C-alpha cells in the first residue's frame, strides 16, 4: 500500500545542498543522528499508529451516524474510546490467578513506564478538528461506514505526525544527553582510598534511581518537587520494590536500609549535580521548532544526564 504524500514526508531525509563537497568526517555525525532519529520515529509510530485505529474508527463512525458531531463532542468520544482501549490492554497484560510471580510488580511498572513513553494515538484536538470539518452524507449506514474510514485515516495520519515530532525530540534528547555523559563522569575529584572508592561505587548504584526521578521532575517543569529528599525517597522506594519483587522482604529491608544510608551521605551532592547537568543540557540543546519535539527532547535528555549525574554524585560523596 502506498501512503499518501503527507504521511510519508516526515520520514524522508532532508534535501542536501549540491553546492558543497561532502566532508566524510563532517557527515559522520549527522548520518548517525539521522539514523537515531529514524529509529526513534519508528518506535514511536509502532506504539501510536496501532492504538490510534480504534478510537479514530469509533469517533468517525459516531460522527457519521449522528449526522455530525461538534469538535468538543468528538474529543470526548476519542478520549473515552482511548480510555476503554487502555483499560482492555491493562486487563490483558495483568497476571491472573496462580500464574503470578514475584516479578509481576516489576512487569506492571515497566508497562506503566512504557505507556508514558509510547502514549497512544496523536492529538485528540487535531483529529476532532479534522473530522468535524467533514459533513457526513448518505443514509445512516453509508454515513457510519464512511465516517469510520475517515476517522481511521485521520487518526493514523495524526499518529504518524505526532510520532515524527516525538521521535525527533527523543533522538535529540538522547544524542545531546549522551554527548554530555563523559563530561559529567569527569566532574570533581575521585575518592583517594580504595575503601572510599568502593563505598562511592555502592552509593552511586543505590542513588541512581532517585537521581533519575529527580531529573525527570525537573524536565517536566516541576522544580518545586525536586530536592535531595526526592533523590533519597526515590532511591529507597526503588530498591525496596525491586528487592521485594525479586529476592523477598528480607533483602528489600536490607537494601532499603543501605539506600537510606547512601541518601544521608550523598543525596544533596547528587541533587546539585543533577540540577547543574540538566541546566547545561537545556542551555546547549538545539531548539527543534516544535513544542512537542522540545518536550520530548528535554524528557529524554534528562533521563540520560540525570542517571549519569546521579552515579557521579553518589561516587563523589566519598571523595
Amino acid at each position: 500500500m502506498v501512503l499518501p504524500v503527507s504521511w510519508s514526508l516526515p520520514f524522508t531525509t532532508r534535501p542536501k545542498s549540491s553546492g558543497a563537497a561532502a566532508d566524510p568526517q563532517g557527515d559522520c555525525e549527522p548520518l548517525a543522528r539521522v539514523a537515531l532519529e529514524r529509529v526513534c520515529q519508528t518506535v514511536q509510530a509502532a506504539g501510536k499508529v496501532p492504538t490510534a485505529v480504534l478510537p479514530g474508527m469509533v469517533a468517525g463512525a459516531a460522527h457519521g451516524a449522528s449526522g455530525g458531531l461538534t469538535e468538543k463532542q468528538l474529543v470526548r468520544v476519542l478520549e473515552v474510546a482511548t480510555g476503554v482501549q487502555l483499560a482492555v490492554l491493562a486487563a490483558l497484560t495483568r497476571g491472573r490467578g496462580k500464574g503470578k510471580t514475584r516479578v509481576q510488580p516489576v512487569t506492571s511498572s515497566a508497562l506503566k513506564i512504557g505507556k508514558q513513553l509510547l502514549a497512544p494515538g496523536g492529538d485528540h484536538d487535531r483529529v476532532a478538528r479534522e473530522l468535524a470539518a467533514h459533513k457526513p452524507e448518505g443514509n445512516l449506514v453509508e454515513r457510519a461506514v464512511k465516517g469510520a474510514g475517515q476517522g481511521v485515516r485521520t487518526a493514523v495520519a495524526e499518529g504518524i505526525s505526532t510520532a515524527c515530532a516525538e521521535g525527533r525530540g527523543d533522538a535529540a534528547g538522547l544524542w545531546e544527553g549522551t554527548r554530555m555523559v563523559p563530561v559529567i563522569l569527569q566532574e570533581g575529584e575521585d575518592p583517594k582510598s580504595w575503601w572510599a572508592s568502593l563505598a562511592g561505587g555502592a552509593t552511586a548504584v543505590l542513588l541512581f534511581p532517585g537521581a533519575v526521578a529527580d531529573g525527570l521532575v525537573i524536565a517536566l517543569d516541576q522544580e518545586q518537587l525536586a530536592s535531595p529528599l526526592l533523590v533519597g525517597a526515590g532511591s529507597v522506594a526503588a530498591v525496596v520494590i525491586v528487592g521485594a519483587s525479586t529476592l523477598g522482604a528480607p533483602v528489600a529491608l536490607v537494601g532499603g536500609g543501605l539506600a537510606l544510608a547512601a541518601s544521608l551521605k550523598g543525596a544533596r551532592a547528587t541533587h546539585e549535580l543533577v540540577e547543574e547537568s540538566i541546566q547545561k543540557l537545556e542551555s546547549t540543546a538545539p531548539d527543534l521548532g516544535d513544542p512537542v519535539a522540545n518536550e520530548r527532547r528535554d524528557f529524554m535528555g534528562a533521563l540520560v544526564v540525570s542517571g549519569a549525574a546521579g552515579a557521579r554524585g553518589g561516587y563523589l560523596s566519598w571523595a
Side-chain angles (χ1 to χ4, degrees), residues 84-107:
V84 171
Q85 180 173 256
L86 287 175
V88 172
L89 175 63
L92 292 175
T93 54
R94 186 182 299 120
R96 296 181 181 277
K98 295 181 180 180
K100 289 186 178 180
T101 66
R102 286 180 174 179
V103 298
Q104 182 61 35
V106 176
T107 304

Side-chain angles (χ1 to χ4, degrees), residues 207 211 214 231 266-275 309-314:
L207 293 185
D214 196 44
V231 174
R268 181 167 296 280
T270 297
H271 168 68
E272 291 173 354
L273 188 54
V274 167
E275 276 194 321
R312 187 60 179 172

Side-chain angles (χ1 to χ4, degrees), residues 230-301:
L230 177 59
V231 174
S235 296
V236 171
V239 170
V240 168
I241 290 171
V242 173
S245 302
T246 56
L247 300 174
V251 173
L253 185 61
V254 173
L258 291 174
L260 179 59
S263 301
L264 295 174
K265 179 66 175 176
R268 181 167 296 280
T270 297
H271 168 68
E272 291 173 354
L273 188 54
V274 167
E275 276 194 321
E276 179 185 337
S277 300
I278 291 180
Q279 286 173 0
K280 286 182 181 178
L281 175 68
E282 292 180 348
S283 66
T284 57
D287 182 6
L288 301 178
D290 183 286
V292 173
N294 284 337
E295 285 178 7
R296 296 293 303 187
R297 177 205 62 199
D298 293 343
F299 182 85
M300 296 303 292

Side-chain angles (χ1 to χ4, degrees), residues 144-255:
V145 172
K146 290 179 181 177
Q150 180 66 34
V152 170
R153 290 192 297 273
T154 303
V156 168
E158 178 56 36
I160 292 175
S161 176
T162 303
C164 177
E166 293 192 0
R168 193 156 55 95
D170 288 348
L174 291 171
W175 185 269
E176 299 299 331
T178 302
R179 285 175 47 158
M180 281 188 60
V181 168
V183 178
I184 294 171
L185 295 181
Q186 294 176 19
E187 292 282 346
E189 296 293 331
D190 292 337
K192 302 302 182 184
S193 62
W194 68 267
W195 65 265
S197 295
L198 185 62
T203 302
V205 172
L206 291 168
L207 293 185
F208 179 87
V212 172
D214 196 44
L216 294 182
V217 163
I218 296 173
L220 294 171
D221 297 325
Q222 301 294 322
E223 289 88 348
Q224 69 276 13
L225 300 178
S227 68
L229 181 61
L230 177 59
V231 174
S235 296
V236 171
V239 170
V240 168
I241 290 171
V242 173
S245 302
T246 56
L247 300 174
V251 173
L253 185 61
V254 173

